[in-house]
Amino acid sequence: LLRDELEKRGYRVILTREDNDTAISNAERAQMAYEEGGDIYVRIHANGSDDAGVQGALAMVPSSNNPYIPELAEDSYTLAECILSAYCEKASFASLGIQYYDNMTGINWSTIPVTILEMGFMTNEHDDLQMSDPDFQDTMVTGIADGIDSYFESVGKDVEN
């Protein structure tokens, strides 16, 4: 769904994995995003927690103290901020903010701005039901795509560039 929406908006989209049978490491995914000519690397997940009451969305980025990619911290934060804000506004999910992670392979191997969007908590009944609803998935997709548009506008880049 997200790929279709982004392509409709003029983006070229590379999916690093389209099924559960493909074995590709997080480091290989990060490298693929760059090697395919990507401008950004967006990972999309559904979160989990031992506390079934925890709900909402959050984003993860490298910090400016990241030992591998500190130079990506600022742009990654902007990317996360744009996507998380648009997603939460569109999907009416609570924003749990942007968190720094310097210990994740999928972040640390990136050479382009990177974020992980945790769309909601599978372990929370409300979030899980929303995320599994096909109509609501369209809303989620629109929010993520709007956030990506917002990021490229903020850095002064057209889809065509």
Side-chain angles (χ1 to χ4, degrees):
L1 290 173
L2 181 57
R3 173 181 47 195
D4 295 341
E5 179 63 25
L6 289 171
E7 286 177 345
K8 190 167 69 177
R9 294 180 186 208
Y11 293 97
R12 185 174 70 92
V13 178
I14 304 298
L15 299 179
T16 59
R17 191 175 80 170
E18 297 187 56
D19 59 54
N20 291 327
D21 298 324
T22 302
I24 182 170
S25 73
N26 289 332
E28 290 170 320
R29 292 176 202 197
Q31 291 168 324
M32 179 188 288
Y34 171 75
E35 289 167 359
E36 291 288 339
D39 292 314
I40 60 172
Y41 177 36
V42 179
R43 300 180 59 190
I44 300 171
H45 294 173
N47 216 340
S49 173
D50 291 336
D51 179 354
V54 176
Q55 67 182 89
L58 62 93
M60 301 173 181
V61 298
S63 78
S64 60
N65 295 319
N66 184 292
Y68 308 103
I69 55 168
E71 71 281 1
L72 295 179
E74 188 176 332
D75 286 342
S76 295
Y77 190 93
T78 301
L79 175 63
E81 189 174 44
C82 290
I83 292 173
L84 184 63
S85 175
Y87 174 78
C88 288
E89 181 180 326
K90 196 71 170 175
S92 298
F93 270 38
S95 175
L96 301 176
I98 299 170
Q99 300 177 5
Y100 295 106
Y101 281 85
D102 293 334
N103 61 348
M104 297 182 125
T105 310
I107 288 176
N108 291 342
W109 278 81
S110 189
T111 53
I112 54 179
V114 57
T115 188
I116 299 172
L117 174 66
E118 295 284 1
M119 301 179 300
F121 283 80
M122 298 180 295
T123 50
N124 176 276
E125 184 177 14
H126 170 268
D127 285 6
D128 192 42
L129 289 172
Q130 289 286 81
M131 290 187 295
S132 63
D133 179 298
D135 292 331
F136 190 74
Q137 288 171 0
D138 289 336
T139 300
M140 294 165 54
V141 160
T142 301
I144 295 168
D146 287 352
I148 291 171
D149 285 346
S150 176
Y151 170 76
F152 283 112
E153 288 169 16
S154 76
V155 297
K157 222 174 177 189
D158 295 332
V159 173
E160 291 78 33
N161 289 336

